[in-house]
Amino acid sequence: MGALDEGHFHEVLENGVELEPPQGIEGQPETLAIEDAVKVLLQGLGEDINREGIKKTPLRVAKALREGTKGYKQKVKDIVEGALFPEAGLDAAVGNAGGAGGLVVVRDLDLFSYCESCLLPFQFKCHVGYIPSGQRVVGLSKLSRVADVFAKRLQDPQRLANEVCSALHHWIKPAGIAVVLQCWHMHFPSLESFLMESNSQGWLKVLVRSGTGAFENDKGGSWSDFFSLLKFRGINIDNFLAEGSIASWCPSQSWSSLKGSSINGQLNSGMVTAVDSILRSLGEDPSREELVGTPVRFVKWLTNFQNTSFEMKLNGFVYGRGVDSLKANGEPGVNHKQEQLQTEVNLSFWSQCEHHLLPFYGVVHIGYFGFNPIPKSLLKSIVHFYGFKLQVQERLTRQIAETVSSLVGGDVMVVLEAGHTCMISRGIEKFGSSTATIAVLGRFSADPNARAMFLQSLPNSSTALGPS
Amino acid sequence: MGALDEGHFHEVLENGVELEPPQGIEGQPETLAIEDAVKVLLQGLGEDINREGIKKTPLRVAKALREGTKGYKQKVKDIVEGALFPEAGLDAAVGNAGGAGGLVVVRDLDLFSYCESCLLPFQFKCHVGYIPSGQRVVGLSKLSRVADVFAKRLQDPQRLANEVCSALHHWIKPAGIAVVLQCWHMHFPSLESFLMESNSQGWLKVLVRSGTGAFENDKGGSWSDFFSLLKFRGINIDNFLAEGSIASWCPSQSWSSLKGSSINGQLNSGMVTAVDSILRSLGEDPSREELVGTPVRFVKWLTNFQNTSFEMKLNGFVYGRGVDSLKANGEPGVNHKQEQLQTEVNLSFWSQCEHHLLPFYGVVHIGYFGFNPIPKSLLKSIVHFYGFKLQVQERLTRQIAETVSSLVGGDVMVVLEAGHTCMISRGIEKFGSSTATIAVLGRFSADPNARAMFLQSLPNSSTALGPS
């Protein structure tokens, strides 16, 4: 069984704590190989790899990827074995701690994994249940630790559920194991789809489950018991996809049907080879069926953030379309107070964190004083053009403000609210956190009331900032 | 300044990763000293320290406490210095990246700390804002890492906010820092207060803030901007307590006014000395003003879970009060189908995890077939008597089921839904997770429909399982 074939694990893990401390990753041959590959990717995007903001990006990406796939080196046995506790059962004959239907369920464990199809992290909530047997129970935190062993690999949801389930069954030997995962994959749209004004953003959700023992044949109503406890969290059994039907849950499967990358017709073969090298350095086999197309998909996606072709498009687009007609209304001598506060809120954006090569996404709110509103389509174009490159949120906020300022003459305020993938898939793993940045120009800098007027108009919503 | 007095930090920290890996804690003199102290505490509670379930508890507690206070050894400088990035400002003269009012806010960071007054963990949401200056910004995750340095110490909310704020200001040198913390302290009632039927359970919430620079004088409306972005998360400025007014936020301050412990009149001085020794082993000074009463408060609280006096009370109480009158109705020969499903849901409980000496808490739902309902006060007493001892959730569920079964003749189902402090304050830090356990007896074991009937009657609520 795949999940239990641990012959390739070459490091011992004691109680969920890796023997190889994180700082040991730096300088190892695998880490250096990934760093070299990331440099190739950055250069393929037209970036200067010695630029201050990204010169440490190869190391950051390498560490994140190795830490995010450390599950390949972890042993479930060592996590579980020290945490099995004797516990008398209600029914001595059956040996189940809570009687024949006595479930133990740990719910709402926030975890993340890496999608094997596109190499982006995906977030999931894990719910694990088991029916204790043999007069013993397992420490509750171990269910989370074991799930994390398989999450910290390149995965797809159903395999992940199956592997967690099989491993727990093998080591705990209960009367049954149930695993339910609610998974969210980011639906990262391409620049082209944004230009076509299609609404392809948001989150792809799948619900998968896996069961052993009493949950395999399900004659005794065990799944029904389990779902009754999960229903509090909004899970409905009708929402489960049949096993095997989610081969294409990752949106990269449709990216690969695009002709080449979104901007270039040609893929950079050096970049594809670099991703192949990354997979090898993580201990994966790039010829594994599910991974064969991954390097091409990852490069196609990454090419959305190519630096060069991009500025050109923005120049051609924004300045040819908006400036003159808007400026014509800004007649000299007209008192500012006759201008109105114009707002455009909740424009969605997607961007790529240049420190970690990971997406951040959310909404932009733009306020400015002017006689006429700027067309929403123009503001959207500005947001997307500056979003589709290697960025930091602070700079993106400023660039949008400066560009809008050039259209309306200086009184501009921009608020960005974003979820950052690197806040969950790096060391701090802060699920549910979000970041807001403000840029202010002209009247908004000097006048707190102007800022307050705009801020009070912002919607009280954060659904765009992450799956929840 | 306290927060910046780092002379006592004797280990270097690189980029938020401790040089002393967790597994190194085991076997160190400080760890062994804490283990010895925990053995004294367990023996003081009347426990057999060689009992299977708790024989590793001293080590688990020692590791948890040392990991949970590792902030004493961490340096903010090393976290921040490598993560300052050059970023051109909108306003070159001021040098603020987002213009003169250009805030960067990271919101909703879930963290925990240890209450210096009672040594229980408390959970908080941290919101940090700063106004970048000097043409540089800091990596977003570092705001969380720095907050965690001060959280991983014995704290009170206002000092925690002040220390995070001062340290960030010192090392980032921005135009201003704002820190807002929403803190929840568990209001763990004593057994006595339960017996008195008082409703003292729940969470104590405080909201604290600290500011430097533009947030200190607040002439420019910076706090207003900050709160406008936090208001999405329900924060209202009117809810902030004035600085200094929350000295007694910890409920242990009122425990100490009780005469002695809840059950024994006398405090075990060996236990108090043991807690004093734990404080020393964590690198703290037990004579520090805020810690002077901590050992006594902790022991008073822990004595709620004393093993001995407790069984006696249960025997005297339950069997003297309920059994005969209830059994009288269960006449032989009466068909089970004439009995009705009786339910009592959402009985609150508090208990103490014997693996980690940390609280778990939540609600109990009890279903049984019988002619008459068992008085709610009797069920509450059963729940509290089994709760107020060193426990595991699975056993508590079974014990409640068995005791109720002795009253009604065997068809019993018990569901416990619980939040476990050890799930957030140990390594996995799974905020928002919860655990459900089921025990079934008699008809409920064999009949899935009976279980389903009871499970469907359960309330769709989990507010008792944690602060959120």
Side-chain angles (χ1 to χ4, degrees), chain A residues 20 25 40 46 74 76 115 174 177 189 230 275 327 331 379 402 420 424 452 463:
Chain A
E20 176 188 51
I25 288 175
V40 171
Q74 294 177 318
V76 173
C115 173
I177 293 272
L230 295 191
V275 179
K327 282 210 168 150
E331 294 160 28
L379 292 175
E402 284 174 336
H420 282 252
I424 63 156
T463 52

Side-chain angles (χ1 to χ4, degrees), chain B residues 203-214:
Chain B
W203 299 88
L204 288 154
K205 302 176 193 176
V206 295
L207 197 53
V208 294
R209 60 168 167 157
S210 188
T212 63

Side-chain angles (χ1 to χ4, degrees), chain A residues 18-41:
Chain A
E18 70 267 42
L19 283 183
E20 176 188 51
Q23 67 273 20
I25 288 175
E26 215 162 315
Q28 290 179 349
E30 297 90 337
T31 309
L32 295 172
I34 298 174
E35 288 179 61
D36 288 341
V38 174
K39 285 175 192 166
V40 171
L41 295 176

Side-chain angles (χ1 to χ4, degrees), chain A residues 18 50 69 76 85 114 149 153 158 229 240 248 264 275 278 287 303 306 316 366 423 436:
Chain A
E18 70 267 42
N50 294 313
T69 55
V76 173
F85 300 98
Y114 279 91
V149 165
R153 301 179 183 194
Q158 187 64 56
L229 292 172
F240 282 86
S248 62
N264 291 16
V275 179
I278 289 173
S287 68
T303 310
Q306 199 148 28
I366 301 172
M423 294 288 274

Side-chain angles (χ1 to χ4, degrees), chain A residues 105 110 220 225 430 436 451, chain B residues 87 105 110 220 225 430 436 451:
Chain A
V105 184
D110 284 316
D225 293 353
K430 290 300 170 201
R451 292 205 300 277
Chain B
E87 199 59 53
V105 183
D110 285 316
D225 293 353
K430 290 301 172 200
R451 291 204 300 277

Side-chain angles (χ1 to χ4, degrees), chain B residues 418-429:
Chain B
H420 283 252
T421 316
C422 57
M423 293 290 272
I424 63 156
S425 63
R426 297 292 314 279
I428 67 167
E429 298 196 14

Side-chain angles (χ1 to χ4, degrees), chain A residues 44 122 138 200 224 255 257 269 312 324 329 334 342 376 425 438:
Chain A
F122 66 92
V138 70
S200 55
S224 172
W255 302 337
S257 69
S269 65
M312 189 182 63
D324 293 342
N329 290 318
V334 175
Q342 313 277 353
K376 184 174 181 175
S425 63
I438 300 180

